[in-house]
Amino acid sequence: MIKRIGVLTSGGDAPGMNAAIRAVVKAGMKNNIEVYGVYDGFRGLVEGKIEKLDYHSVNDKINRGGTFLGSARLSEFKDEKVRQVALEQLKKFGIEALVTIGGDGTYMGALRLTEMGINCIGLPATIDNDIASTDFTIGFDTAINTAVDAVDKLRDTSNSHQRCSIVEVMGRYCGDVAIATALATGAEMVVTAETGFDLQKVLDTAKQCCEMNKRHALFIFTEHITDVYELAKKVEAYSGFETRATVLGYIQRGGSPTARDRILASRLGVKAVELLINGEGGKCLGIINNEITAIDIKEALEMKKTPLAKFAHIVELLS
Ligand code: F6P
């Protein structure tokens, strides 16, 4: 029976990571397993920033944004020599298995460590919701609620001044944050990598809104599509609708996790410990149709994401 496990958070932080760590620590301890926290992701693992956690370490954490263990991106973890150092650190601390919480970069690290003899279970946590093997990632629900709250505020001022508002949200190359935000805010249009960017369509839609004498118009864009500040100038010049651009940025990564994210994180954390107790590794967890699922990381990394872009037409239908 396994006696000691580690837990780390890696990649961009996501609200609900703390709730997941808490679940791993508590579920581990209830099963007489010692749980060690690895600070600052795989970088901290290589550097040996490891400490034993207990009930007190996770007290008052379920409601906190960010990750109290810290997070980092370490591209050097691809290098086997770097991973060998990580392995030695794990051996030094007597850590037999690991729960890794993060996005697909984190999954890759977990897979490689499992291949080197340390069972790892990956938990999906990123605001982007860009992991194919789960319907939802930890942090996505909080991020879209933050974005919706911000866009509601932008709507207030846009409405007062009769303006068009172009809002850029995060998501890396996945449009789920944008689509969900657009649907929930009654936006005129959403533009993501999956929907494609048709400049003329954006200009014409803004012109139409202006001609209809709309008090405001909302256009939601995923990051990396275009320079929204330049676009705002073009939209205003073409349509006659006074236009402003806002980039929501990192505010979407922070804040107290929603109940949905806390519940998801808690369920996933408990399942990860169960799998490690069963001697399983190289797996990642997800939630599909409200059931917790576990599949091989290799398989998960080959899966194609079904983006929420299939609902983009509803945004335009209801505009
Ligand atoms: O993956 C989460 C995310 O916030 C993306 O939405 C964004 O593109 C990226 O991280 C930003 O990364 P960094 O924190 O390295 O600037």
Side-chain angles (χ1 to χ4, degrees):
M1 165 81 174
I2 196 161
K3 283 267 158 278
R4 194 174 283 182
I5 64 172
V7 55
L8 63 78
T9 48
S10 165
D13 64 346
M17 279 180 159
N18 281 327
I21 300 164
R22 170 186 178 270
V24 171
V25 171
K26 293 214 166 186
M29 290 181 71
K30 291 267 162 77
N31 283 286
N32 299 316
I33 295 171
E34 289 181 328
V35 184
Y36 278 66
V38 179
Y39 290 88
D40 298 332
F42 289 116
R43 176 155 32 97
L45 180 56
V46 171
E47 291 169 1
K49 289 163 83 177
I50 300 171
E51 203 173 75
K52 190 172 172 192
L53 302 177
D54 60 19
Y55 291 120
H56 299 294
S57 329
V58 291
N59 173 47
D60 197 25
K61 292 289 189 288
I62 194 167
N63 55 329
R64 306 270 175 203
T67 158
F68 80 93
L69 286 179
S71 191
R73 300 186 201 276
L74 182 72
S75 53
E76 294 88 338
F77 207 69
K78 288 191 192 95
D79 184 343
E80 198 181 335
K81 282 190 215 114
V82 175
R83 291 201 304 275
Q84 200 58 49
V85 179
L87 207 67
E88 278 152 27
Q89 294 288 6
L90 288 167
K91 282 196 184 137
K92 193 168 113 192
F93 283 87
I95 297 170
E96 300 154 88
L98 204 56
V99 179
T100 62
I101 305 167
D104 46 11
T106 312
Y107 280 9
M108 189 50 96
L111 176 62
R112 295 285 170 255
L113 278 181
T114 303
E115 287 165 353
M116 292 167 90
I118 296 285
N119 274 345
C120 292
I121 301 292
L123 263 57
T126 160
I127 64 158
D128 301 333
N129 207 38
D130 59 352
I131 298 184
S133 52
T134 184
D135 288 345
F136 298 109
T137 54
I138 297 167
F140 174 66
D141 189 61
T142 308
I144 61 175
N145 276 288
T146 301
V148 166
D149 183 53
V151 173
D152 283 348
K153 288 178 171 129
L154 288 170
R155 174 212 293 273
D156 289 347
T157 173
S158 299
N159 210 62
S160 305
H161 290 267
Q162 194 160 19
R163 279 177 182 161
C164 172
S165 195
I166 299 176
V167 187
E168 180 187 294
V169 297
M170 276 187 167
R172 204 177 285 270
Y173 299 103
C174 174
D176 282 17
V177 174
I179 304 278
T181 304
L183 278 168
T185 55
E188 270 55 39
M189 194 187 248
V190 59
V191 179
T192 71
E194 301 92 353
T195 66
F197 174 35
D198 178 346
L199 173 62
Q200 194 55 50
K201 191 172 166 195
V202 173
L203 296 175
D204 289 339
T205 306
K207 194 155 191 248
Q208 250 174 33
C209 292
C210 190
E211 285 165 0
M212 287 165 74
N213 201 25
K214 282 197 173 186
R215 286 298 306 177
H216 68 264
L218 293 168
F219 291 75
I220 313 291
F221 276 66
T222 310
E223 59 183 337
H224 306 307
I225 300 284
T226 190
D227 180 328
V228 288
Y229 296 108
E230 286 307 312
L231 178 65
K233 287 184 207 157
K234 286 185 199 157
V235 166
E236 184 167 312
Y238 182 87
S239 67
F241 206 153
E242 198 181 348
T243 304
R244 295 286 189 270
T246 306
V247 174
L248 290 191
Y250 289 91
I251 198 150
Q252 294 159 98
R253 288 236 301 249
S256 177
T258 58
R260 192 175 280 268
D261 273 332
R262 297 179 200 189
I263 294 165
L264 177 60
S266 303
R267 291 177 68 189
L268 291 171
V270 167
K271 182 72 179 176
V273 172
E274 272 171 32
L275 292 186
L276 291 180
I277 290 172
N278 285 341
E280 297 185 52
K283 298 218 157 135
C284 58
L285 304 186
I287 184 158
I288 295 176
N289 296 331
N290 205 24
E291 293 295 329
I292 301 297
T293 55
I295 64 165
D296 286 341
I297 292 178
K298 249 188 209 148
E299 196 189 323
L301 292 176
E302 280 162 14
M303 281 171 79
K304 217 171 142 27
K305 161 94 188 145
T306 316
L308 292 182
K310 57 181 180 257
F311 303 126
H313 68 283
I314 300 179
V315 174
E316 289 179 32
L317 183 72
L318 301 181
S319 71

